[in-house]
């Protein structure tokens, strides 16, 4: 355990209130796993009597659940911290940094007095949050716990969920893959799977609470294993829980798609026909340098197999441009694979060296920034055209849509939901419809990012 007893001017003097009366502002950056973890944190603190608020001006404690995956994720958090101190100049508050950046930036964050950080807590230590917060509130001593705990799955905690429609359910935590660009194995430690019985008990509770959809989460979710049950067994078991209408999963790795998993997605009616299949790069030499363990040919063969079994499957992907040593012609392989596969959507990133990763240590970040920009702009333009084409195939069809909420906070007239294949649909609301309902929607138009439609009779 890393405990830090540094004292400085920011004593977290909270006006003598008992810690349990303190109001907490919790902000979340990064991925769905962080959103889930924030729900775990809300539950842990809520049980201790802490209350939550939305504005820094009302907060006694500000907790930032951070991401470290790219440099701009870091920059965002640092900018946020400075803005908070500026906004609350005359009010002392306790500032805690949680999540991935807490782990990989612990020393640098504590060493910078301008950031006035009182608490640093990594993703396996949230059960200690009340104890460490009380200490920061009482004595004013900054505290840190960024240790990994391979047994920590937050079993027994009922996450205080934000959505009433979709429930995130973490089934694995951590990652063993060590893709050479990625910081996650260093910020979240080794992979562990939750017991199937635990996951099913949570899913049954969610169904009883009225949740229609669960999304199974893990950094490499399809390497799930609990004794004899692998990911296909998990999918089957969760999707057969009475009352759950849709099961999604995030993020799978292409290396863990045995036939049994593809068959489970194909066969189980409640498992959504959408697969996120992170390509990262289309060139086999770059994929090898990335330690992705598949080649361009393997990836294309997997896509063919998936589409053979699940013809109308929605496919999305992640891509990195400008990985060290990626030449212009190797980048063309990524273009070719994107065009060949025609993903429904793609998240495209510029390579960002992360401290401590193999890529950062072994390969110079030698693709110039302007070249990375040229490549990302080109891929985004290509994908926009492909997404429009893919979405247009739905025009005129009537599809079941799970209503997630209002399309915009400003207007109560339009709902937003998703098709089974994960495409966003916007359509005019009707009396009697509410988030959580699954309604037939006739698609009237398509854009690259969404479908437009109107409710149809079933
Ligand atoms: N565990 C998930 C997600 C990891 S982070 C998975 O394996 O799919 C989400 C995405 O961020 C990755 O898929 C990758 O495309 C991107 N990413 C990760 N590290 C990066 C880096 N150093 N620079 C740029 N993009 C990165
Ligand atoms: Fe990172 Fe690779 Fe693990 Fe995903 S699978 S979290 S990209 S190391
Ligand atoms: Fe970011 Fe950590 Fe998620 S680095 S993407 S918050 S696993």
């Amino acid at each position: 355990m890393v405990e830090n007893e540094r004292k400085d001017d920011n004593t977290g003097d909270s006006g003598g209130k008992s810690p349990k009366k303190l109001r907490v502002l919790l902000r979340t950056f990064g991925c769905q796993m962080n959103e889930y973890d924030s729900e775990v944190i809300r539950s842990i603190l809520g049980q201790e009597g802490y209350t939550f608020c939305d504005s820094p001006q009302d907060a006694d404690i500000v907790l930032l659940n951070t991401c470290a995956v790219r440099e701009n994720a870091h920059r965002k958090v640092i900018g946020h911290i400075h803005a908070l101190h500026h906004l609350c100049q005359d009010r002392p508050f306790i500032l805690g940094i949680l999540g991935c950046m807490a782990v990989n930036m612990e020393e640098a964050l504590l060493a910078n007095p301008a950031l006035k950080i009182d608490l640093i807590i990594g993703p396996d230590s949230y059960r200690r949050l009340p104890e460490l917060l009380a200490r920061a509130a009482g004595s004013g001593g900054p505290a840190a716990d960024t240790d990994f705990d391979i047994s920590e799955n937050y079993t027994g905690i009922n996450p205080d969920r934000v959505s009433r429609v979709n429930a995130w359910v973490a089934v694995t935590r951590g990652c063993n893959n060590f893709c050479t660009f990625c910081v996650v194995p260093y910020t979240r430690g080794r992979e562990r799977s939750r017991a199937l019985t635990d996951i099913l008990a949570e899913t049954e509770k969610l169904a009883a609470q009225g949740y229609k959809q669960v999304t199974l989460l893990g950094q490499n979710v399809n390497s799930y294993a609990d004794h004899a049950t692998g990911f296909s067994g998990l999918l089957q078991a969760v999707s057969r829980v009475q009352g759950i209408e849709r099961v999604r999963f995030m993020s799978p790795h292409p290396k863990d798609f045995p036939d049994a998993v593809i068959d489970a997605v194909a066969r189980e009616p409640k498992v959504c026909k959408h697969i996120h299949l992170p390509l990262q790069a289309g060139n086999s030499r770059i994929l090898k340098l990335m330690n992705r363990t598949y080649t361009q040919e393997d990836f294309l063969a997997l896509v063919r197999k998936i589409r053979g079994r699940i013809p109308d499957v929605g496919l999305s992907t992640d891509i990195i441009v400008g990985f060290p040593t990626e030449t212009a012609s190797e980048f063309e392989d990524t273009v070719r694979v994107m065009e060949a596969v025609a993903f429904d959507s793609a998240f495209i990133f510029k390579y960002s060296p992360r401290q401590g990763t193999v890529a950062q240590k072994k390969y110079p970040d030698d693709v110039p920034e302007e070249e990375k920009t040229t490549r990302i702009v080109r891929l985004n333009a290509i994908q926009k055209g492909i997404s429009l084409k893919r979405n247009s195939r739905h025009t005129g069809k009537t599809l079941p849509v799970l209503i997630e909420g209002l399309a915009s906070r400003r207007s109560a007239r339009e709902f937003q939901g998703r098709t089974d294949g994960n495409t966003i649909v916007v359509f005019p609301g009707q009396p009697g419809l509410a988030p959580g309902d699954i309604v037939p929607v006739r698609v009237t138009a398509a854009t690259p990012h969404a479908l437009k439609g109107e409710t149809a009779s079933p």
Side-chain angles (χ1 to χ4, degrees), residues 51-332:
T51 55
F52 292 87
C53 62
D54 294 326
S55 144
Q57 278 98 339
D58 298 331
D60 303 298
I61 298 167
V62 178
L63 300 177
L64 306 181
N65 191 6
T66 62
C67 172
V69 80
R70 285 170 289 276
E71 192 54 35
N72 55 5
H74 273 184
R75 273 198 294 268
K76 228 193 238 174
V77 171
I78 298 291
H80 209 87
I81 295 174
H82 287 301
L84 278 169
H85 287 308
H86 184 72
L87 203 67
C88 304
Q89 269 169 15
D90 307 322
R91 277 187 59 247
F93 63 95
I94 296 164
L95 177 58
I97 304 300
L98 283 46
C100 289
M101 195 173 155
V103 181
N104 82 327
M105 293 279 289
E106 178 183 352
E107 282 168 26
L109 290 170
L110 286 176
N112 184 347
L115 299 176
K116 300 183 196 159
I117 291 166
D118 303 295
L119 267 177
I120 302 253
I121 301 188
D124 287 346
S125 310
Y126 297 141
R127 286 185 201 268
R128 291 195 67 213
L129 198 46
E131 168 199 340
L132 296 174
L133 259 180
R135 206 166 82 196
S139 72
D145 183 353
T146 54
D147 276 6
F148 295 131
D149 179 353
I150 192 77
S151 67
E152 183 54 275
N153 273 320
Y154 296 110
T155 302
I157 292 173
N158 285 319
D160 182 359
R161 294 188 158 84
V162 176
S163 166
R164 293 280 155 250
V165 178
N166 170 68
W168 310 117
V169 176
V171 299
T172 70
R173 293 180 75 86
C175 185
N176 292 346
N177 290 343
F178 290 94
C179 301
T180 57
F181 51 79
C182 183
V183 80
V184 171
Y186 306 90
T187 64
R188 288 186 168 267
R190 294 296 63 75
E191 181 181 292
R192 67 218 85 141
S193 293
R194 253 175 89 183
L196 178 68
T197 46
D198 237 40
I199 297 166
L200 288 179
E202 182 168 354
T203 308
E204 278 158 14
K205 217 180 281 168
L206 290 165
Q209 289 166 7
Y211 280 93
K212 291 288 165 55
Q213 176 175 292
V214 295
T215 303
L216 308 178
L217 293 181
Q219 266 78 42
N220 180 175
V221 70
N222 51 340
S223 65
Y224 176 86
D226 176 31
H227 299 96
T229 308
F231 190 62
S232 55
L234 173 70
L235 274 180
Q236 173 173 317
V238 170
S239 66
R240 292 185 183 180
V241 170
Q242 204 75 36
I244 295 298
E245 297 296 333
R246 288 185 170 187
V247 176
R248 298 188 184 278
F249 55 93
M250 228 14 187
S251 270
H253 190 296
K255 76 178 170 54
D256 292 310
F257 271 102
D259 291 350
V261 170
I262 302 175
D263 285 346
V265 179
R267 183 187 64 227
E268 292 298 326
K270 306 272 171 86
V271 176
C272 291
K273 309 304 176 233
H274 165 240
I275 297 179
H276 184 69
L277 210 55
L279 167 66
Q280 310 299 3
N283 175 269
S284 296
R285 187 186 75 88
I286 296 295
L287 285 168
K288 194 163 174 33
L289 288 187
M290 288 177 162
N291 192 30
R292 289 295 287 181
T293 70
Y294 52 85
T295 62
Q296 178 196 100
E297 293 72 30
D298 297 335
F299 190 92
L300 290 171
L302 177 61
V303 169
R304 274 195 300 275
K305 198 184 219 181
I306 290 173
R307 286 216 168 113
R309 286 289 284 124
I310 318 163
D312 202 34
V313 68
L315 290 179
S316 55
T317 197
D318 291 345
I319 286 170
I320 296 176
V321 298
F323 186 82
T325 74
E326 184 186 62
T327 64
S329 76
E330 286 170 334
F331 167 70
E332 292 305 321

